Amino acid sequence: MTAPALLESRGLTVRFGGLLALNALDIDVRHGEVLGLIGPNGSGKTTFLNVISGVYSASAGSIRLDGADITTASAQHLSASGLARTFQRSRLCLPLSVFDNIVLGAQKRLNSGLWHNLIQRKALAAEVRAIAAEARELLYVFNPTLADKLYDPAISLGMIDRRRVEICRALIGKPKLVLLDEPSAGMTHDETDQVVDEILGIRKSLGGLTIIIVEHEMGLIERVTDRCVVLNYGKKICEGKFRDVASDPVVREAYLGQS
Ligand SMILES: Nc1ncnc2c1ncn2[C@@H]1O[C@H](COP(=O)(O)OP(=O)(O)O)[C@@H](O)[C@H]1O
Ligand SMILES: [Mg+2]
């Protein structure tokens, strides 16, 4: 018997008016794996991440996370259940400090309610200090000089450090599943390789972190994924090890159809 998957979608469908963006998707993400979600432009990759993270709602079908039905769960509930993500377009609040941006990812730890936080101000301050210490540690693993910029505005950072901050924000809540949407966006090949290697290094030290990565840089997908699912027009057309899906004629044809 195989262990149940960490994330399971069954018949997952998303419609935008007449457009079937996701068409009856059955996708399993196993505990501890790095799953590559690939496919031509517009094939539904970001939509899949959006529907499982509660940004879009499913038109039909179901999603389970660690055995619990999360099909209609809110984004807040999902984040508290251990799901975190980064976005294809950067979502940092640039005038705010690195710390302020990262703390947004730790909301569930600070959100004991206004009344509690007003009365238990010592406890709140201690929790904020603990998060700052953890944020500094995480940033240090990515880039030691970044740890010293905890209270600098995010706008003062270069692209690669901004991406690191976004990833730290996803990791600070100690998620089980992290969704990475096109980590290469806005960065060079070398920068992308570097950041992804850093994520994998941190993953090792955290133990058991499961990742879904959407990426068009196939070299990266080949290097870092355990398994891939290929989408085309919202349908799953293939899944398996990268080298097998990459040589599949149906997959090759889907990619040839795009400019
Ligand atoms: N909010 C939306 N409203 C209408 N159509 C959308 C929306 N989001 C995505 N789509 C459409 O759904 C399809 C899949 O898009 P997307 O998931 O962004 O593709 P990918 O990430 O694979 O490039 C595309 O045809 C896109 O135009
Ligand atoms: Mg996309």
Side-chain angles (χ1 to χ4, degrees):
M1 212 180 84
T2 51
L6 176 60
L7 186 90
E8 281 179 9
S9 80
R10 290 294 175 265
L12 187 62
T13 300
V14 172
R15 281 189 205 91
F16 295 113
L19 177 83
L20 207 47
L22 297 184
N23 188 351
L25 284 183
D26 294 348
I27 292 181
D28 282 357
V29 185
R30 300 170 191 156
H31 285 269
E33 80 175 337
V34 179
L35 181 82
L37 185 62
I38 60 180
N41 254 331
S43 56
K45 304 178 299 291
T46 296
T47 302
F48 182 75
L49 300 191
N50 280 337
V51 69
I52 63 180
S53 58
V55 177
Y56 295 160
S57 39
S59 308
S62 66
I63 315 162
R64 296 180 85 79
L65 177 67
D66 228 355
D69 190 325
I70 56 155
T71 316
T72 57
S74 66
Q76 284 79 356
H77 177 88
L78 289 166
S79 130
S81 314
L83 193 144
R85 67 174 294 181
T86 67
F87 293 86
Q88 192 168 347
R89 288 195 199 88
S90 173
R91 297 276 179 102
L92 288 181
C93 190
L94 293 175
L96 291 184
S97 71
V98 167
F99 175 71
D100 288 336
N101 274 284
I102 291 178
V103 102
L104 295 173
Q107 270 183 51
K108 73 170 179 223
R109 288 168 58 183
L110 289 178
N111 192 7
S112 314
L114 177 65
W115 191 241
H116 176 271
N117 286 346
L118 285 176
I119 303 293
Q120 302 285 339
R121 288 196 309 187
K122 268 193 180 155
L124 178 66
E127 189 61 39
V128 170
R129 274 197 305 275
I131 293 171
E134 277 172 45
R136 203 186 288 274
E137 245 173 67
L138 262 178
L139 290 167
Y140 189 88
V141 180
F142 276 96
N143 174 6
T145 65
L146 192 51
D148 296 329
K149 297 180 184 162
L150 192 60
Y151 298 107
D152 290 4
I155 199 165
S156 67
L157 305 178
M159 195 58 216
I160 183 168
D161 279 340
R162 290 183 192 181
R163 186 62 37 81
R164 287 170 170 139
V165 171
E166 293 197 273
I167 294 163
C168 289
R169 174 170 64 196
L171 295 177
I172 197 85
K174 302 189 166 53
K176 300 179 220 169
L177 175 63
V178 175
L179 318 176
L180 302 173
D181 198 358
E182 305 238 6
S184 73
M187 295 197 300
T188 65
H189 262 279
D190 289 349
E191 286 174 332
T192 308
D193 278 351
Q194 199 177 328
V195 168
V196 172
D197 284 341
E198 289 162 0
I199 298 170
L200 295 180
I202 288 173
R203 173 169 171 266
K204 239 186 216 152
S205 68
L206 293 176
L209 181 65
T210 307
I211 296 178
I212 304 180
I213 178 168
V214 168
E215 185 46 65
H216 64 264
E217 270 198 32
M218 290 303 147
L220 181 71
I221 287 289
E222 175 168 27
R223 197 161 62 78
V224 306
T225 61
D226 298 308
R227 219 158 53 82
C228 290
V229 166
V230 190
L231 300 184
N232 196 25
Y233 295 110
K235 275 196 141 159
K236 181 168 79 177
I237 57 168
C238 194
E239 68 180 307
K241 297 256 175 232
F242 176 82
R243 62 169 179 280
D244 298 329
V245 303
S247 60
D248 186 287
V250 176
V251 173
R252 289 182 156 261
E253 176 153 353
Y255 272 98
L256 281 177
Q258 99 170 326
S259 51

